[in-house]
Amino acid sequence: MKAMKLKFYSLALAAGMLTLTACSDDNNDNNGDKGNEIENGSTLKGTITEDVTLTAGSTYKLSGEYIVEAGATLNIEEGVKIISVYDNIVDYILVKQGAKINAVGTPDKPIIMTSEKEEPGAWGGIHICGKAHTNAEGGKGSSEIGGAVYGGNDDADNSGTLQYIRLEYTGFAFDEEHEANGISFYGVGSGTIVDHCEAYKGSDDGFEFFGGSVNVSNMVVVSCSDDSFDWTEGWNGKGTDLVAYQEAKATLGYDCDCLIEADNNENDNAATPVSHPVLKNLILAGNGESKQGIRLRRGTQADIDNAKVCGKGQPLVVESPLTNAALKNGTSKLTNMTITAALKSDGDYTNDDFTAVTSNKVDEALSYASFDAIKAACDWMKGSWVK
């Protein structure tokens, strides 16, 4: 699948350039704070430079890049469905620095973003670039998809609101180094509101954080083939009520990687600001394979409280001297955690250190028989927004 899509990469770029100034196939007159209301059935493509609104209950096609420029806001109302066209052009939504996306669904009228072809990797997801910090070299970065600048020193930056959204079949791959997550948060600030979002059967990560200080809550990742949650470049926001579930390889036809893969900076493990999110209330259930559940590495720090990790041969792994040291000296904290096998480490933070915290334990019997079992344990997952 990757080879076929790579062949059309240049065509995708050319198409994007040709549609650079387009907003959609059909725009209505300006409508106050909503900006231009986009007619039901329209195709979204090109670049928007002023506010637009996708109206409640409408269905749209997404063809190629849909870029929100600085100063513009993309409003998406409850019950909107966006269907990516499956062709030789990569489809994605990119929100640049200084732009906003206000996508607000409800539990029973969620915003659904999907593809004509119901297959992982069919389209490119959402990419949001903010002005909050990144520890990438020079304090600036370029988004993996779209090449947009992110990073700065405004950790309270506001890129909008994302609530009650389900993203299906994302993960389009340009090459082995450039794949599209469900939502990619690039230097996104804490003024941005993110809750009740699901990434469903993507071929890359569910949600990935490249620096920034954005806080997220009530986030669900189901059977994404790479990592469910991923962070790097100094993310230090809060994550509350996080669920990852991976179906068995025999069911999916593909394997899944980590439930959480966590880095500070791949090229400089000591880069500052250091990744140090604060996570609370996690249920992470793997697919029975031998890979890692939570993989803390490359200098990351973290506070994790009340987490249950099962279904992985290595439910909790600690790598790199700096990550070990932060746990050993108490800079990082693991509390109220249950894992199904002993912690593995390449340094001096050991399973004995982990279980010395009396609220932590190793319990081989911990398991969730199905995704429904997890939903039953989480009142906040009610409604049709979770698939």
Side-chain angles (χ1 to χ4, degrees):
M1 182 171 65
K2 288 185 179 180
M4 178 188 72
K5 290 177 176 174
L6 278 171
K7 184 171 69 175
F8 297 112
Y9 180 33
S10 60
L11 292 176
L13 290 176
M17 293 176 66
L18 287 172
T19 60
L20 189 60
T21 59
C23 289
S24 72
D25 282 354
D26 298 280
N27 291 344
N28 292 334
D29 292 336
N30 190 278
N31 186 28
D33 292 340
K34 289 185 176 182
N36 294 316
E37 290 191 357
I38 308 301
E39 184 178 345
N40 182 26
S42 297
T43 297
L44 310 175
K45 59 185 177 181
T47 297
I48 62 173
T49 57
E50 58 185 8
D51 296 356
V52 302
T53 295
L54 310 186
T55 59
S58 296
T59 298
Y60 302 91
K61 293 290 183 73
L62 175 65
S63 180
E65 60 188 18
Y66 197 48
I67 298 175
V68 187
E69 292 285 353
T73 298
L74 173 61
N75 299 295
I76 307 177
E77 296 183 337
E78 64 182 33
V80 165
K81 188 171 188 178
I82 299 175
I83 304 172
S84 170
V85 176
Y86 193 79
D87 55 16
N88 60 351
I89 303 172
V90 59
D91 311 314
Y92 61 91
I93 295 172
L94 171 62
V95 181
K96 289 189 174 182
Q97 285 187 325
K100 290 184 179 180
I101 178 171
N102 288 329
V104 181
T106 68
D108 291 311
K109 294 182 179 179
I111 294 164
I112 308 298
M113 300 184 180
T114 189
S115 173
E116 289 178 341
K117 188 173 182 65
E118 297 182 352
E119 178 181 286
W123 70 290
I126 300 176
H127 307 261
I128 305 175
C129 296
K131 300 178 182 179
H133 71 268
T134 171
N135 66 30
E137 186 176 359
K140 295 281 186 178
S142 177
S143 63
E144 292 185 351
I145 307 299
V149 173
Y150 66 91
N153 55 15
D154 183 4
D155 277 2
D157 187 35
N158 180 0
S159 294
T161 300
L162 300 168
Q163 294 178 310
Y164 293 105
I165 301 170
R166 183 167 72 245
L167 302 105
E168 303 175 345
Y169 313 115
T170 59
F172 185 96
F174 286 114
D175 54 49
E176 292 183 359
E177 297 298 323
H178 298 87
E179 294 180 311
N181 308 298
I183 304 177
S184 300
F185 298 93
Y186 292 100
V188 176
S190 61
T192 309
I193 297 171
V194 182
D195 62 76
H196 296 89
C197 297
E198 180 185 20
Y200 179 81
K201 292 190 177 180
S203 69
D204 197 41
D205 303 328
F207 304 108
E208 184 164 6
F209 304 85
F210 297 83
S213 52
V214 64
N215 303 314
V216 301
S217 66
N218 310 100
M219 307 291 280
V220 180
V221 182
V222 174
S223 294
C224 286
S225 66
D226 199 4
D227 309 310
S228 299
F229 297 93
D230 195 332
W231 72 73
T232 186
E233 293 186 10
W235 179 51
N236 59 13
K238 296 179 180 178
T240 307
D241 293 317
L242 309 181
V243 164
Y245 178 75
Q246 299 173 345
E247 295 171 87
K249 183 177 181 179
T251 301
L252 294 172
Y254 57 85
D255 199 1
C256 298
D257 205 352
C258 302
L259 296 160
I260 292 178
E261 185 174 81
D263 298 338
N264 180 42
N265 184 294
E266 178 180 359
N267 299 314
D268 179 4
N269 291 181
T272 58
V274 176
S275 294
H276 193 142
V278 176
L279 309 181
K280 187 177 179 65
N281 303 335
L282 287 70
I283 296 178
L284 308 174
N287 56 359
E289 301 296 323
S290 61
K291 294 182 178 180
Q292 300 94 339
I294 298 177
R295 188 181 189 185
L296 304 176
R297 64 178 189 172
R298 293 174 174 168
T300 193
Q301 301 169 6
D303 288 6
I304 303 177
D305 180 52
N306 189 27
K308 297 177 174 63
V309 189
C310 62
K312 287 290 190 181
Q314 305 173 73
L316 180 55
V317 176
V318 180
E319 301 174 12
S320 82
L322 290 174
T323 299
N324 274 273
L327 284 163
K328 192 74 173 180
N329 66 29
T331 301
S332 295
K333 298 178 177 63
L334 305 177
T335 55
N336 296 298
M337 292 185 65
T338 303
I339 57 179
T340 52
L343 175 148
K344 291 188 176 181
S345 170
D346 64 2
D348 57 1
Y349 182 81
T350 67
N351 189 67
D352 288 341
D353 293 314
F354 174 75
T355 56
V357 178
T358 57
S359 62
N360 293 335
K361 61 182 177 180
V362 177
D363 181 1
E364 295 181 2
L366 173 67
S367 68
Y368 289 90
S370 65
F371 187 52
D372 285 340
I374 296 177
K375 291 172 72 174
C378 301
D379 289 341
W380 55 268
M381 291 175 66
K382 292 179 179 178
S384 61
W385 69 279
V386 175
K387 189 169 183 176

